[in-house]
Every structure is written in C-alpha cells, then in structure tokens.
Amino acid sequence: MIDMIKDLAQAQKYCWEACYYKTLIKAMEDADYQRMGYTQTPKQQAFMKDWLRDPEEFENRMRDKDHGEWPLSRRGEFRHEEGQYGRPYGEYLEARKHYTESHSAMDKADMDKYAGEHLMSAMTAIRTIYGDADPELRKKIKADFSKLVADMPT
C-alpha cells in the first residue's frame, strides 16, 4: 500500500513537471529572442537576418559596399575615404594605430610615408586655393599660415 502511495505521488510530481516544462517551452517559442529592454531598429533586424542567413556572404557584401555605418576595408579596418580629410589622412591614422601598438620600424616607416602623403595632398590643395584667391583672401591665407608656423613647437 505504501509503495502505491509513493508511486502515485511520484506520478503526480512528474505530471506537474511536464506541465511546467510545456509552459516554459511555449513561452520560449513565443519570445522573439531579444535582450530585455533592447529593441532593434528595422535596419538592424535586416542586417541580423542577412547575417544569420549567410554570414560569409553578408561580410563580403559589407566589405564591398558602402553602408555608411560599417564601411569595412578588406583587412576589416575602417576606410577613411569619406572622412573629412580624405584617404591619405585615413591611411596615416591606420598606420599610426599600428605603430602605437607594435612600435616596429616598418610601422613607423608606413606612418611617416602616409603622413608625408597627407601633407603633400594638403599643400597641393592650399596652393590651388591660394592661386585662385583674390588679393584679400591671399593676405588672410598668408596670415593664417604664418600664425600656424609660429604656433608650432620646435
């Protein structure tokens, strides 16, 4: 008799556990698997769906296209062509970052090379603007550059 009571109690316990797990599974299936308090924008949801569908294809597309927020280069680093100062300055920033991390002579040479390219690009632009400027603007440009040179530490 006691064994029958224990068996009935255990059967009841298993039924309650089965009901609990059934409701838990239903709740998990109904959830949209987002973190609590975080809702993605439709653009983020589209990116995530594309990435889940085919991660390699998605990453290749992100590298090959300009998506504004994620302009990736082939090495996985950010491109700076669209930036305020253009490609040479962006390459200088990347080289400076690598040199800061490694302190190698090769990275230092790259950093110096890209710095020179950026300076040449800037000087060419300034020469062009100066050549096209009227006398009043030329005076202002000369004064601004004289001040810049005077403010530079030696």
Side-chain angles (χ1 to χ4, degrees), residues 26-42:
K26 183 179 182 323
M28 288 174 67
E29 288 172 348
D30 292 344
D32 54 2
Y33 297 105
Q34 291 187 3
R35 293 181 287 175
M36 293 298 288
Y38 175 77
T39 52
Q40 294 178 329
T41 65

PDB file of all heavy atoms in Angstrom, residues 26-42:
ATOM      1  N   LYS A  26       6.578  26.711 -24.444  1.00  0.00           N
ATOM      2  CA  LYS A  26       5.664  27.593 -25.174  1.00  0.00           C
ATOM      3  C   LYS A  26       6.107  29.049 -25.043  1.00  0.00           C
ATOM      4  O   LYS A  26       6.107  29.798 -26.025  1.00  0.00           O
ATOM      5  CB  LYS A  26       4.242  27.426 -24.647  1.00  0.00           C
ATOM      6  CG  LYS A  26       3.226  28.258 -25.402  1.00  0.00           C
ATOM      7  CD  LYS A  26       1.827  28.050 -24.860  1.00  0.00           C
ATOM      8  CE  LYS A  26       0.749  28.801 -25.581  1.00  0.00           C
ATOM      9  NZ  LYS A  26       1.043  30.104 -26.065  1.00  0.00           N
ATOM     10  N   ALA A  27       6.504  29.455 -23.853  1.00  0.00           N
ATOM     11  CA  ALA A  27       6.966  30.829 -23.652  1.00  0.00           C
ATOM     12  C   ALA A  27       8.235  31.111 -24.452  1.00  0.00           C
ATOM     13  O   ALA A  27       8.396  32.193 -25.027  1.00  0.00           O
ATOM     14  CB  ALA A  27       7.213  31.087 -22.173  1.00  0.00           C
ATOM     15  N   MET A  28       9.138  30.132 -24.509  1.00  0.00           N
ATOM     16  CA  MET A  28      10.368  30.325 -25.279  1.00  0.00           C
ATOM     17  C   MET A  28      10.076  30.405 -26.765  1.00  0.00           C
ATOM     18  O   MET A  28      10.713  31.172 -27.494  1.00  0.00           O
ATOM     19  CB  MET A  28      11.356  29.194 -24.986  1.00  0.00           C
ATOM     20  CG  MET A  28      11.955  29.293 -23.593  1.00  0.00           C
ATOM     21  SD  MET A  28      12.975  27.875 -23.160  1.00  0.00           S
ATOM     22  CE  MET A  28      14.319  28.075 -24.286  1.00  0.00           C
ATOM     23  N   GLU A  29       9.123  29.632 -27.240  1.00  0.00           N
ATOM     24  CA  GLU A  29       8.763  29.690 -28.657  1.00  0.00           C
ATOM     25  C   GLU A  29       8.078  31.002 -29.001  1.00  0.00           C
ATOM     26  O   GLU A  29       8.249  31.528 -30.102  1.00  0.00           O
ATOM     27  CB  GLU A  29       7.865  28.514 -29.020  1.00  0.00           C
ATOM     28  CG  GLU A  29       8.600  27.193 -29.061  1.00  0.00           C
ATOM     29  CD  GLU A  29       7.668  26.009 -29.229  1.00  0.00           C
ATOM     30  OE1 GLU A  29       6.436  26.166 -29.097  1.00  0.00           O
ATOM     31  OE2 GLU A  29       8.190  24.903 -29.487  1.00  0.00           O
ATOM     32  N   ASP A  30       7.311  31.558 -28.082  1.00  0.00           N
ATOM     33  CA  ASP A  30       6.618  32.816 -28.324  1.00  0.00           C
ATOM     34  C   ASP A  30       7.562  34.019 -28.258  1.00  0.00           C
ATOM     35  O   ASP A  30       7.280  35.059 -28.840  1.00  0.00           O
ATOM     36  CB  ASP A  30       5.482  33.022 -27.316  1.00  0.00           C
ATOM     37  CG  ASP A  30       4.343  32.023 -27.532  1.00  0.00           C
ATOM     38  OD1 ASP A  30       4.301  31.411 -28.616  1.00  0.00           O
ATOM     39  OD2 ASP A  30       3.519  31.866 -26.617  1.00  0.00           O
ATOM     40  N   ALA A  31       8.663  33.890 -27.552  1.00  0.00           N
ATOM     41  CA  ALA A  31       9.600  35.006 -27.402  1.00  0.00           C
ATOM     42  C   ALA A  31      10.289  35.288 -28.721  1.00  0.00           C
ATOM     43  O   ALA A  31      10.451  34.421 -29.562  1.00  0.00           O
ATOM     44  CB  ALA A  31      10.635  34.686 -26.322  1.00  0.00           C
ATOM     45  N   ASP A  32      10.717  36.542 -28.907  1.00  0.00           N
ATOM     46  CA  ASP A  32      11.418  36.899 -30.132  1.00  0.00           C
ATOM     47  C   ASP A  32      12.924  36.991 -29.916  1.00  0.00           C
ATOM     48  O   ASP A  32      13.653  37.566 -30.705  1.00  0.00           O
ATOM     49  CB  ASP A  32      10.883  38.201 -30.712  1.00  0.00           C
ATOM     50  CG  ASP A  32      10.904  39.334 -29.696  1.00  0.00           C
ATOM     51  OD1 ASP A  32      11.365  39.112 -28.562  1.00  0.00           O
ATOM     52  OD2 ASP A  32      10.475  40.434 -30.050  1.00  0.00           O
ATOM     53  N   TYR A  33      13.413  36.404 -28.836  1.00  0.00           N
ATOM     54  CA  TYR A  33      14.838  36.254 -28.550  1.00  0.00           C
ATOM     55  C   TYR A  33      15.607  37.565 -28.563  1.00  0.00           C
ATOM     56  O   TYR A  33      16.690  37.649 -29.079  1.00  0.00           O
ATOM     57  CB  TYR A  33      15.494  35.268 -29.528  1.00  0.00           C
ATOM     58  CG  TYR A  33      14.933  33.898 -29.398  1.00  0.00           C
ATOM     59  CD1 TYR A  33      14.060  33.408 -30.339  1.00  0.00           C
ATOM     60  CD2 TYR A  33      15.261  33.106 -28.306  1.00  0.00           C
ATOM     61  CE1 TYR A  33      13.525  32.138 -30.213  1.00  0.00           C
ATOM     62  CE2 TYR A  33      14.727  31.838 -28.164  1.00  0.00           C
ATOM     63  CZ  TYR A  33      13.868  31.358 -29.130  1.00  0.00           C
ATOM     64  OH  TYR A  33      13.331  30.113 -29.009  1.00  0.00           O
ATOM     65  N   GLN A  34      15.017  38.601 -28.013  1.00  0.00           N
ATOM     66  CA  GLN A  34      15.730  39.867 -27.873  1.00  0.00           C
ATOM     67  C   GLN A  34      16.068  40.079 -26.419  1.00  0.00           C
ATOM     68  O   GLN A  34      15.375  39.596 -25.531  1.00  0.00           O
ATOM     69  CB  GLN A  34      14.884  41.022 -28.382  1.00  0.00           C
ATOM     70  CG  GLN A  34      14.702  40.981 -29.878  1.00  0.00           C
ATOM     71  CD  GLN A  34      14.001  42.219 -30.373  1.00  0.00           C
ATOM     72  OE1 GLN A  34      13.710  43.120 -29.601  1.00  0.00           O
ATOM     73  NE2 GLN A  34      13.738  42.260 -31.657  1.00  0.00           N
ATOM     74  N   ARG A  35      17.150  40.792 -26.204  1.00  0.00           N
ATOM     75  CA  ARG A  35      17.543  41.088 -24.834  1.00  0.00           C
ATOM     76  C   ARG A  35      16.486  41.971 -24.189  1.00  0.00           C
ATOM     77  O   ARG A  35      15.841  42.783 -24.849  1.00  0.00           O
ATOM     78  CB  ARG A  35      18.885  41.809 -24.805  1.00  0.00           C
ATOM     79  CG  ARG A  35      20.009  40.928 -25.269  1.00  0.00           C
ATOM     80  CD  ARG A  35      21.299  41.660 -25.204  1.00  0.00           C
ATOM     81  NE  ARG A  35      21.327  42.640 -26.292  1.00  0.00           N
ATOM     82  CZ  ARG A  35      22.278  43.525 -26.463  1.00  0.00           C
ATOM     83  NH1 ARG A  35      23.273  43.593 -25.634  1.00  0.00           N
ATOM     84  NH2 ARG A  35      22.240  44.355 -27.462  1.00  0.00           N
ATOM     85  N   MET A  36      16.337  41.825 -22.897  1.00  0.00           N
ATOM     86  CA  MET A  36      15.352  42.616 -22.171  1.00  0.00           C
ATOM     87  C   MET A  36      15.696  44.095 -22.276  1.00  0.00           C
ATOM     88  O   MET A  36      16.839  44.491 -22.076  1.00  0.00           O
ATOM     89  CB  MET A  36      15.315  42.202 -20.696  1.00  0.00           C
ATOM     90  CG  MET A  36      14.801  40.796 -20.475  1.00  0.00           C
ATOM     91  SD  MET A  36      13.111  40.602 -21.037  1.00  0.00           S
ATOM     92  CE  MET A  36      12.257  41.508 -19.786  1.00  0.00           C
ATOM     93  N   GLY A  37      14.729  44.920 -22.621  1.00  0.00           N
ATOM     94  CA  GLY A  37      14.931  46.354 -22.696  1.00  0.00           C
ATOM     95  C   GLY A  37      15.645  46.806 -23.950  1.00  0.00           C
ATOM     96  O   GLY A  37      15.995  47.968 -24.083  1.00  0.00           O
ATOM     97  N   TYR A  38      15.886  45.910 -24.894  1.00  0.00           N
ATOM     98  CA  TYR A  38      16.614  46.260 -26.113  1.00  0.00           C
ATOM     99  C   TYR A  38      15.763  45.884 -27.302  1.00  0.00           C
ATOM    100  O   TYR A  38      15.379  44.735 -27.460  1.00  0.00           O
ATOM    101  CB  TYR A  38      17.944  45.516 -26.169  1.00  0.00           C
ATOM    102  CG  TYR A  38      18.703  45.717 -27.458  1.00  0.00           C
ATOM    103  CD1 TYR A  38      19.395  46.891 -27.687  1.00  0.00           C
ATOM    104  CD2 TYR A  38      18.717  44.737 -28.445  1.00  0.00           C
ATOM    105  CE1 TYR A  38      20.089  47.076 -28.861  1.00  0.00           C
ATOM    106  CE2 TYR A  38      19.410  44.917 -29.613  1.00  0.00           C
ATOM    107  CZ  TYR A  38      20.096  46.088 -29.817  1.00  0.00           C
ATOM    108  OH  TYR A  38      20.784  46.274 -30.988  1.00  0.00           O
ATOM    109  N   THR A  39      15.451  46.851 -28.112  1.00  0.00           N
ATOM    110  CA  THR A  39      14.723  46.560 -29.337  1.00  0.00           C
ATOM    111  C   THR A  39      15.544  47.072 -30.504  1.00  0.00           C
ATOM    112  O   THR A  39      16.044  48.198 -30.488  1.00  0.00           O
ATOM    113  CB  THR A  39      13.329  47.222 -29.345  1.00  0.00           C
ATOM    114  OG1 THR A  39      13.488  48.605 -29.045  1.00  0.00           O
ATOM    115  CG2 THR A  39      12.412  46.583 -28.334  1.00  0.00           C
ATOM    116  N   GLN A  40      15.689  46.242 -31.495  1.00  0.00           N
ATOM    117  CA  GLN A  40      16.477  46.603 -32.664  1.00  0.00           C
ATOM    118  C   GLN A  40      15.653  47.453 -33.616  1.00  0.00           C
ATOM    119  O   GLN A  40      14.440  47.322 -33.690  1.00  0.00           O
ATOM    120  CB  GLN A  40      16.923  45.344 -33.400  1.00  0.00           C
ATOM    121  CG  GLN A  40      17.887  44.492 -32.628  1.00  0.00           C
ATOM    122  CD  GLN A  40      18.242  43.228 -33.391  1.00  0.00           C
ATOM    123  OE1 GLN A  40      17.433  42.708 -34.153  1.00  0.00           O
ATOM    124  NE2 GLN A  40      19.445  42.756 -33.182  1.00  0.00           N
ATOM    125  N   THR A  41      16.352  48.306 -34.345  1.00  0.00           N
ATOM    126  CA  THR A  41      15.696  49.061 -35.399  1.00  0.00           C
ATOM    127  C   THR A  41      15.444  48.114 -36.561  1.00  0.00           C
ATOM    128  O   THR A  41      16.067  47.055 -36.655  1.00  0.00           O
ATOM    129  CB  THR A  41      16.586  50.231 -35.868  1.00  0.00           C
ATOM    130  OG1 THR A  41      17.768  49.684 -36.469  1.00  0.00           O
ATOM    131  CG2 THR A  41      16.946  51.158 -34.715  1.00  0.00           C
ATOM    132  N   PRO A  42      14.542  48.473 -37.456  1.00  0.00           N
ATOM    133  CA  PRO A  42      14.315  47.609 -38.615  1.00  0.00           C
ATOM    134  C   PRO A  42      15.586  47.367 -39.431  1.00  0.00           C
ATOM    135  O   PRO A  42      15.805  46.269 -39.943  1.00  0.00           O
ATOM    136  CB  PRO A  42      13.275  48.380 -39.426  1.00  0.00           C
ATOM    137  CG  PRO A  42      12.543  49.200 -38.411  1.00  0.00           C
ATOM    138  CD  PRO A  42      13.575  49.568 -37.386  1.00  0.00           C
TER     139      PRO A  42
END
